[in-house]
Structures are given as structure tokens and as C-alpha cells.
Amino acid sequence: MNDSALMRKSIACRRRVLEIIHHAGAGHTGGSLSCVDILTVLYNAVLRISPDNPGDPARDRYIQSKGHSVEALYAVLADRGFLPDEELQTLCGYRTRLIGHPTRKVPGIEQNTGALGHGLSFGVGAALGLRRKRCDARVYVLLGDGELAEGSNWEAAMSASHHRLDNITAVIDHNGLQITGAVRDVLGVDPLVERWAAFGWSVCECDGHDIPRLRAALRREPIEPAKPTLVVAHTVKGKGVSFMENEKGWHHRVPKEDELERALAELDRAAAELGEVERT
Amino acid sequence: MTTDPATTPATANQEVFAETITELARENSDMLVVTSDSRGSGKLVPFGEAFPDQIIEVGIAEQNLVGIAAGLASTGAHVFAVSPAPFLTARSLEQIKNDVCYSDHPVTLVGISAGVSYGALGTTHHSIHDIAALRAINNIRIVVPADAAETRMVVRAAAAAGEPVYLRLGKRPVPALPGTVTEASVFHRARRLCNGSDAALLACGEAVAPALAAAERLAAENIKASVHSVPCIRPIDTNSILDAARNASAVVTVEEHSVHGGLGEACAALLLHHGIHKPFRIIGFPDEVMVNGSQQEIFEHYGLTKDGIVAVTRQLLADS
Ligand SMILES: [Mg+2]
């Protein structure tokens, strides 16, 4: 899939994220908008997965440790054919499969997450298991930046490099915000790159909204052999909707009717601009 | 299998675990052990030497141990995550709840040196909360075998079960109990070790042997007590517990655990829900700062001994 097609998908998924959160009256708006480009690239240009065989033992694994941004995952999974688009309207409803955090009830979801600091250990276990089976599947784990305060992440980081796992890529959705405010004010994560490097990871950084750069950073090969790969994706919380960008209040605020209209209008303009760029 | 207590030497349940898991690993290369610097305590050093590709060391990091075990299980392995029970079931409780139970991966969590096995080391090293904590979590079988035969069976059953299991094991040598052990009898059912209609003694793990000794002693006083090993505490064997209570004048439970939330309270709730109102006592550790001493001294202090169980049972029958 070419880059402009991925960009169009990202815009469409942003629309769905806002629509379903508005419809459900619940959800994590800012973080879903900050990671949706990462997910679009992973699910459409990187992961070896198939909605026809979601349990294929040889599939790549994606684990969303920052489980609260589940609306982005549901939107991308629906777009990719893992679940019907109309089911998205059941988000957070009574007895829905689409709970407010990921669960394995949903085809394509590998692990139940939501409590922070769990995904990377699970990913390390999956990577160890796949390597034992000589399966060349790759494991991707998405972490939040505020989430890094959970000490279990660092246990997992130590174990991945100790076991020389080069079939795992962790991605940090580095939007600089968490529920209380700036990550640097709550519990700073810097120097982020140096810390992970010191834990034995090969690290690269990229603009987490730049589709071609994400595609390159998320490739299915390790940066260095025998070392786990970390991608620090520099992102903007609330990306794509001007009045949500970098606003901590949109962590889990639900857009009202008029806010939804304004947000969708902005996304429509972005889509139209993309179309003009493509035509020229 | 049938064991003859007279000719079978006492063995620690966690040693039997190590032997059995070694047999399983030989039969199936997808049988994995994950340890948190715990292979020595778990008697798994020979296992690690024999099957270096089937043991994964994560260092002193119990949260990571459980998360990794779940991830390994997701690739089709059956994983035994082995760590001292006090750390495994307290520090990694959230990983047990979410990564294993809620996510439904077939991991067997093996809590070694459980209860007050590490008696003298103090409360940090005691797990007298683990049954209570895990009973309130959906989707985990809790199994506390009493002797070598039970342990062997439950390890094999857990490996085949394809579900989350907590196996609670002690490290002191325990005598072989009488009777026949089949997989069902320990993985699902309580088993009756002797008959008696005055009192029913329900016990698990290392408390079963003193309960059996108590029954023998009570018999000398013409008090007839049945003794039941209840290895599977969750889901509990409702029919056997109700039958045992119906056929006795009084019920005494014995466990190496807090009196809150363990075998005793599970049985008490069951009897009340079924309208069975019998004189009832729970022998376990009370809600107080734990006395310090060896496991045996702690057992004696709180009456988890032949004499303690005899005294409680005699008094309960006398009062009723
Ligand atoms: Mg953040």
C-alpha cells in the first residue's frame, strides 16, 4: 500500500475514533489520535497478519500496552477487516466485545491490556516463544511515555536485551503528555534514548505522524542483530484536530456534538488537501 | 496410583514437582519452566542442566516472570512459572489477574515454599494470603497437594489442563498419605483418607498429615473423625465437602493460611449456602502479627498440629 493511501486511511481512522467515542460517550481521545498513524502503518504495511486467519501461529504479534488508546486499535482493525465497521458503534456498550481496553475477544487482539506496564513483558515472552519455535514472526509492542514510570517495563527491557531478542520492536508513543499534564512534570523520562540504549536496546527516533518515516522505522528487521529495537515515535496528543492537539484535557474527554462537527470538518479538509497534493 | 505410607519415605512436594516436570519436559519440548532466580529453591538445577532450552531465567523480577510466562504460553507452550509463593502471589498479583487469568493463557503458576515454609525468615517470606487473593480472581484453579502422590498427579494434570492453575507447594518432607490417587481425585475432587461420623476434618497441603494424625489420636478417645484432603480449593469440590459435613456432627478445617479467605471460609460459605448448620471451626493463622519461629514452631503456636487439632475437635464436640 502506498504512502498516500496510508495517509487517507489514517484520516479515515481518526474520523472513526472521534465518531465512536462521541457515540459511546466514553473513550481516550487524545492518545488514540496520537498513535493512530503508528497503527495504520503497522496494520497495513508491516505486520504479517490476515483477518481470515487471525490465529495463524506464524503471524506477527502486535501488543498494545497503552491499552487505553483502544479506539484507535478498533478503528484500524475494523478498517483491516478484523471486525465489521458497524460493530464499532457498540464501543463500551453492555456485553459488547469492544470493551474500553483491548481484549482477546476481538479478532486480531493478542492480549488483554489496560493496566499499564504489562505489554512489554508479554511481548518478550511471545518473542522468546517464537524464537524457540524458529518462527520468523515479529513482535511489536506499543508503549505510552507516561506508562514508562511503571517499573515492570524496565524489568522487561532488561530481559529482552539479556536474551538477545532481535525479533521484538517496542514503540513509544512519545506525545509528552499524560493525564495530569506534561510527562516531564509528572515523572520525567529523559534522557529517553540513552536510557533504553543503556538497557541494551538499539534505538531510533522518528516523527510518529510521518507515514514514510514510520514505515521505515517499523520495518521487520532489527536495527542491529541480537538486540531488541526501540522506536521513539515523536507524536502529538490529539493529533489532527487543532483544538485537541497538545491539550491534556483531551486525554479522555468526549467530543460534544459541535466539537465533533468541527473536528470532522478539519479532517475533511485534511483529506481534501491530501487529494489536491495527489492530483498535482 | 496407590501408596503404602509405611514403606514410602517422606518427600518434599516441591521436590516431587521438580521430578515430575523433568519427566514432562522429556516427553514434550513445549513444556517450559520460567524461573526468577528460583531454580535452586525450586530444586530445578538438574532440570536446567538436562533441558537448557526448556528453562527461561528472568532474574529477580516476578512481575516480568508472569508476563513472560503468559507471552510464552500464547505461542503454544505450556509454561510453569516457578517462584516463591510470597513473591509470586503478591508482587505479581496484577500480572496473574490480567496477563494470565483475564487473558486466559494456560500458565501454571507454581508457588514454592508456600505458607510459612520459610517460617523463621519472617512475614516478607510468608504467603498466608495467596489462596484468599487468588480465590477472588476469576479463571484460576487453586491446587494445594498434600503428598508426593497428589503432587505428581496435579503437576501432570496441570500440564494437560490448558487453563490457568496455581499450584501451592511446600518444602518440608511430608509423609505419604494412605489411599489411591487418581487425577480426578486431586485435580477436581477432595479425597477421604479415613471414615468417622463424629467430626469431619477437612485439610489441604502440609496440614493434612497432622489432621490424619489427630484422627488416629481421637479414635483412641473413641471420637471418630473422617479426614479429607482437599487439594483443589477452587473450584471447590462441593459434593464431597457437603457429604463430609452431612455425615459428621462437627466440621474442623485446617490450613497453612490465614483464617480469612482460605479453605475454611470456602467450606463455611458452602455449608451455609446449602443449609447445613454444624458446629464449625477454622484452624489457620489468626489476624495478628505472625509469631516468629520455624515452620514447625509456628504450626505448634497456632495449633496446626495433631495436639492442636485434637483439642479443637474435642472441645467443639463437647460444646455442641
Ligand atoms: Mg503520553
Side-chain angles (χ1 to χ4, degrees):
Chain A
M1 186 171 294
N2 68 33
D3 292 340
S4 48
L6 290 172
M7 290 178 207
R8 272 197 304 279
K9 274 197 183 296
S10 270
I11 294 172
C13 286
R14 285 194 159 83
R15 284 192 66 102
R16 292 305 278 141
V17 164
L18 294 168
E19 287 167 351
I20 64 176
I21 290 177
H22 173 75
H23 185 263
H28 287 82
T29 310
S32 286
L33 294 178
S34 85
C35 69
V36 74
D37 296 316
I38 298 165
L39 293 188
T40 300
V41 170
L42 278 174
Y43 274 90
N44 295 285
V46 179
L47 297 177
R48 292 184 183 166
I49 45 158
S50 165
D52 301 325
N53 190 9
D56 181 358
R59 72 194 181 278
D60 287 339
R61 268 65 166 183
Y62 167 74
I63 296 125
Q64 185 160 316
S65 194
K66 52 169 289 188
H68 55 278
S69 299
V70 73
E71 291 83 15
L73 180 55
Y74 290 156
V76 169
L77 283 173
D79 174 71
R80 191 68 173 73
F82 282 88
L83 62 153
D85 183 77
E86 57 271 21
E87 192 178 344
L88 293 175
Q89 295 300 106
T90 70
L91 173 70
C92 288
Y94 177 62
R95 306 192 77 166
T96 179
R97 290 196 295 183
L98 305 189
I99 300 170
H101 290 94
T103 73
R104 296 173 68 211
K105 287 181 184 177
V106 180
I109 293 188
E110 299 289 343
Q111 179 66 349
N112 301 10
T113 55
L116 295 172
H118 287 245
L120 193 55
S121 292
F122 181 85
V124 168
L128 282 163
L130 292 167
R131 185 174 69 181
R132 280 194 82 258
K133 289 185 177 298
R134 291 176 176 53
C135 172
D136 72 348
R138 191 160 185 83
V139 177
Y140 289 83
V141 179
L142 182 68
L143 302 162
D145 49 6
E147 178 182 7
L148 298 179
E150 292 284 5
S152 50
N153 289 305
W154 302 96
E155 293 184 7
M158 280 176 77
S159 63
S161 55
H162 175 87
H163 288 285
R164 301 165 65 84
L165 290 176
D166 60 7
N167 58 347
I168 185 169
T169 296
V171 185
I172 297 176
D173 177 8
H174 192 14
N175 56 33
L177 283 180
Q178 57 191 104
I179 193 165
T180 299
V183 172
R184 92 176 83 81
D185 295 331
V186 178
L187 192 81
V189 293
D190 288 326
L192 188 57
V193 169
E194 290 82 349
R195 283 182 179 174
W196 283 82
F199 273 68
W201 289 59
S202 307
V203 186
C204 70
E205 296 180 81
C206 75
D207 178 339
H209 303 301
D210 183 316
I211 300 289
R213 292 207 161 91
L214 275 174
R215 194 202 275 264
L218 297 171
R219 67 186 182 279
R220 295 183 71 267
E221 291 88 42
I223 296 174
E224 294 172 89
K227 288 177 77 172
T229 293
L230 177 76
V231 176
V232 178
H234 294 280
T235 55
V236 173
K237 203 161 177 174
K239 175 70 178 181
V241 180
S242 59
F243 58 92
M244 296 179 180
E245 289 189 359
N246 286 316
E247 286 293 330
K248 70 168 184 182
W250 281 101
H251 176 84
H252 57 182
R253 186 171 149 196
V254 175
K256 301 191 194 80
E257 193 70 48
D258 62 312
E259 290 168 330
L260 178 68
E261 280 174 24
R262 282 162 56 207
L264 295 181
E266 285 192 21
L267 293 173
D268 287 344
R269 276 199 295 282
E273 281 164 23
L274 190 61
E276 277 167 34
V277 171
E278 279 170 21
R279 278 190 293 278
T280 55
Chain B
M1 65 183 286
T2 307
T3 40
D4 177 2
T7 59
T8 314
T11 333
N13 290 336
Q14 62 196 47
E15 287 186 30
V16 176
F17 162 74
E19 286 164 23
T20 311
I21 192 74
T22 304
E23 294 160 15
L24 288 167
R26 193 170 290 123
E27 295 160 14
N28 180 356
S29 63
D30 277 334
M31 201 61 62
L32 307 182
V33 165
V34 191
T35 49
S36 52
D37 199 21
S38 45
R39 75 181 71 192
S41 335
K43 309 296 176 198
L44 291 165
V45 172
F47 179 98
E49 285 162 1
F51 303 101
D53 295 333
Q54 286 168 255
I55 188 164
I56 290 146
E57 178 61 67
V58 303
I60 307 170
E62 292 81 10
Q63 298 178 73
N64 201 30
L65 171 91
V66 177
I68 283 179
L72 282 165
S74 78
T75 65
H78 190 97
V79 186
F80 286 78
V82 184
S83 188
F87 317 132
L88 179 65
T89 62
R91 189 188 290 265
S92 354
L93 187 61
E94 193 179 66
Q95 279 76 13
I96 295 175
K97 167 180 167 253
N98 295 340
D99 302 354
V100 175
C101 300
Y102 181 39
S103 299
D104 195 23
H105 292 294
V107 173
T108 301
L109 300 150
V110 183
I112 54 174
S113 303
V116 296
S117 294
Y118 290 132
L121 302 187
T123 293
T124 54
H125 283 60
H126 298 164
S127 62
I128 64 167
H129 66 281
D130 49 347
I131 296 173
L134 297 178
R135 274 183 68 219
I137 288 175
N138 172 243
N139 194 30
I140 186 164
R141 181 179 295 275
I142 302 172
V143 188
V144 189
D147 71 349
E150 288 191 5
T151 302
R152 204 167 285 124
M153 282 296 183
V154 298
V155 173
R156 287 195 163 271
E163 63 179 7
V165 176
Y166 175 56
L167 209 52
R168 187 187 204 247
L169 302 175
K171 72 186 183 78
R172 82 157 161 189
V174 286
L177 300 169
T180 302
V181 177
T182 64
E183 184 177 308
S185 77
V186 284
F187 207 57
H188 306 279
R189 302 244 153 74
R191 68 183 183 117
R192 190 171 57 223
L193 302 175
C194 65
N195 293 318
S197 58
D198 293 322
L201 308 182
L202 307 169
C204 61
E206 295 180 14
V208 176
L212 197 58
E216 284 164 15
R217 167 74 183 286
L218 287 165
E221 300 177 23
N222 213 24
I223 296 174
K224 293 181 182 58
S226 63
V227 178
H228 309 258
S229 173
V230 189
C232 189
I233 294 182
R234 181 170 179 282
I236 201 157
D237 178 2
T238 302
N239 289 338
S240 296
I241 305 289
L242 296 180
D243 275 356
R246 282 193 185 107
N247 292 319
S249 304
V251 177
V252 176
T253 68
V254 198
E255 63 198 298
E256 186 181 356
H257 186 271
S258 166
V259 294
H260 298 308
L263 171 67
E265 285 195 351
C267 291
L270 206 54
L271 300 192
L272 280 175
H273 285 169
H274 288 83
I276 299 173
H277 304 118
K278 296 279 169 90
F280 190 92
R281 286 285 181 279
I282 297 174
I283 300 178
F285 304 125
D287 184 3
E288 64 178 43
V289 176
M290 176 74 78
V291 73
N292 56 295
S294 69
Q295 183 191 38
Q296 185 55 32
E297 286 164 337
I298 294 173
F299 272 27
E300 283 166 13
H301 184 87
Y302 293 114
L304 278 78
T305 55
K306 177 181 76 176
D307 289 348
I309 299 164
V310 164
V312 166
T313 307
R314 191 196 286 134
Q315 193 64 46
L316 187 61
L317 288 167
D319 291 346
S320 55

